[in-house]
Amino acid sequence: MSYPTQTVSSSAISGEESAGGELFESLRLELRRGCLVLAVLAQLEQEHYGYTLRKSLAEAGLEIEESTLYPLLRRLETQGLLTSEWREEDRRKKRFYRLSPEGARIFRLLLAEWNRINDSITRIVQKER
Amino acid sequence: MELLERYLQAVEEHLPRRGRKDMLAELRSNLESEIESQEEEIGRDLTETEVAAILEAHGMPVMVASRYGSQHFLIGPTLFPVYWYTLKRSFPLVVLAYAVVQVVGMLLASQNAGDMGHRLGAALGHFPGVALTFWGVMTLGFAAFEYGQGSLFPKMTLPKWSVRNLPSLEAAEGKRYSCANSVADLIVSVLLVVWLLAIPDHPYLLLGPGVKLLHGMPFALTPEWHVFYWQIVGLMIAMVPLKALTLLPSLRHARGWIRLAVSALGVMILVVMVQVRSLFVAVPGTSLTNLSSLEGVNAGIAFGFKIALAFAVVKFGWDLWKEISARQHRQRAHFAAVL
């Protein structure tokens, strides 16, 4: 199987491109959704508050919108995977998050699953090539 | 920082009531940290335009607040297939129940054909409202169940099933069962019976404006009609419960045979019609010419019924043969699976 790399005149396929773009964006978001949870859990092995967590994820190459990250943190806390506490730092009260013991257990399981999937995809793609 | 306050106020308006203050405090803390961080980076206070850019990048207040909600769907992906299946299966029954109620109402209240037509039009006009109400009630019921799952009701789990309990294979060449078609067929049958029963008192329903001409004609319906009429009505009424039986999922294996029984009743109606020796008789004082043409009319109609009967018998035989073949096919498939 070969992967499509040919270049085509943009004016000729402008309609197809926009449809393909939407489809790609939808699939990309679907793919990212689970990965973001894994990345957040991984990052919260160390304590962070919302803003620094977003910055550290971005520095690691995973940009995530604030409006997505902050509600996600609350959801993970409600699910018992994170613990949080309000604390003063630099004369301002901030809410710090970190993995709960249950969160650490789930994170290890998810990471193992992620590695299995990653290995499988790598093998499949290499075999196809 | 007025912009930040305005932004937070707008978000607060849409946040869930529970934990609102805490969410807002966290949001404020994070946004202030971001603004401070940028100020440290460039070594001066941010301008109003730069603060606005940060807040706009954070997102529209209503959208930001909505992401803090615990449930973002009315009916979740687990319950949705059950909801959709229930809606599809129960809608034809709603149509049937509505039709029966309207027909009974018409029979009890209608005085003449015009009144009946008016009531039929009103019934059709009201149906979209009934259908929408049904859809709304079902959706609200499922949404309430979705909302209360796990707290008010036990969480829904799919029932145990076995592939061996699935219906046996249908004959490939046979028509696939359609619940909507069966309901439509049943409604038409009920309406036909109502129509037949209404004809003696309302001949307008059979002949339309021609009923006025009938009074001046030298012919009249034969007295035998009173006997044959009730035989036909009886057979038509017998079809109704049989057609209703085809709607029962528990009788899906017998649907073919039930349809054959309905066809047999149809053949019997034609047999009754063929037995009518003369459909019209002459009134006293009819001329010879009219008598001769009357004989021709009677013979022509009787011949037409005989041809229709012949076709119906052949069709019945063909359907019977197909049903027997399909049954043998199913039995062979069953034995092959067992062996």
Side-chain angles (χ1 to χ4, degrees), chain B residues 5-311:
Chain B
E5 295 305 322
R6 282 165 61 187
Y7 182 78
L8 290 172
Q9 178 183 274
V11 174
E12 184 183 10
E13 195 183 327
H14 303 286
L15 280 174
R17 202 173 294 274
R18 198 174 171 184
R20 179 185 284 178
K21 279 189 177 170
D22 195 54
M23 289 172 202
L24 207 64
E26 188 181 8
L27 198 54
R28 175 193 295 279
S29 155
N30 286 326
L31 286 168
E32 283 175 348
S33 294
E34 186 166 352
I35 291 167
E36 271 181 17
S37 168
Q38 289 207 15
E39 284 175 342
E40 277 172 25
E41 223 171 88
I42 58 175
R44 61 167 172 82
D45 287 354
L46 294 186
T47 62
E48 193 178 274
T49 312
E50 287 163 338
V51 172
I54 289 176
L55 298 176
E56 282 163 11
H58 190 261
M60 193 187 279
V62 65
M63 298 305 289
V64 169
S66 72
R67 293 188 181 171
Y68 283 93
S70 55
Q71 191 180 343
H72 299 285
F73 40 73
L74 205 58
I75 298 168
T78 311
L79 198 58
F80 190 83
V82 182
Y83 159 75
W84 191 241
Y85 176 80
T86 311
L87 211 59
K88 276 200 301 187
R89 292 308 296 257
S90 52
F91 186 71
L93 298 177
V94 171
V95 176
L96 178 64
Y98 183 76
V100 169
V101 167
Q102 293 302 320
V103 165
V104 170
M106 277 180 215
L107 285 178
L108 294 177
S110 295
Q111 300 298 316
N112 54 53
D115 186 31
M116 203 176 265
H118 177 71
R119 281 177 174 273
L120 185 65
L124 288 174
H126 290 149
F127 183 71
V130 172
L132 273 176
T133 307
F134 164 73
W135 174 74
V137 168
M138 288 284 283
T139 306
L140 276 178
F142 271 87
F145 186 77
E146 176 73 57
Y147 182 76
Q149 264 196 116
S151 52
L152 303 174
F153 320 106
K155 226 171 171 56
M156 194 198 76
T157 50
L158 292 174
K160 282 189 176 176
W161 70 283
S162 164
V163 70
R164 294 177 193 282
N165 293 336
L166 294 176
S168 48
L169 284 176
E170 289 176 23
E173 68 275 16
K175 277 187 184 173
R176 288 195 68 79
Y177 170 73
S178 157
C179 187
N181 284 351
S182 295
V183 168
D185 192 22
L186 181 58
I187 290 171
V188 169
S189 287
V190 171
L191 289 174
L192 266 176
V193 171
V194 172
W195 178 72
L196 270 177
L197 288 171
I199 283 174
D201 293 329
H202 310 286
Y204 183 90
L205 292 172
L206 180 65
L207 301 168
V211 72
K212 287 178 184 167
L213 296 172
L214 198 66
H215 295 299
M217 297 291 281
F219 313 133
L221 286 171
T222 168
E224 284 177 287
W225 264 109
H226 291 287
V227 179
F228 294 127
Y229 169 77
W230 285 112
Q231 286 178 356
I232 291 166
V233 169
L235 289 167
M236 291 288 290
I237 289 174
M239 279 183 179
V240 173
L242 283 175
K243 288 185 177 181
L245 286 178
T246 62
L247 292 172
L248 299 178
S250 55
L251 289 177
R252 67 160 73 87
H253 297 295
R255 268 178 199 142
W257 296 104
I258 296 171
R259 284 198 198 103
L260 275 173
V262 172
S263 297
L265 288 173
V267 171
M268 284 166 71
I269 289 174
L270 285 169
V271 169
V272 169
M273 296 303 291
V274 165
Q275 283 176 341
V276 182
R277 282 163 297 182
S278 54
L279 294 160
F280 298 102
V281 289
V283 295
T286 306
S287 68
L288 276 176
T289 319
N290 282 341
L291 274 176
S292 156
S293 59
L294 177 63
E295 200 177 329
V297 167
N298 278 331
I301 293 175
F303 183 67
F305 278 128
K306 280 175 187 166
I307 288 179
L309 177 61
F311 275 114

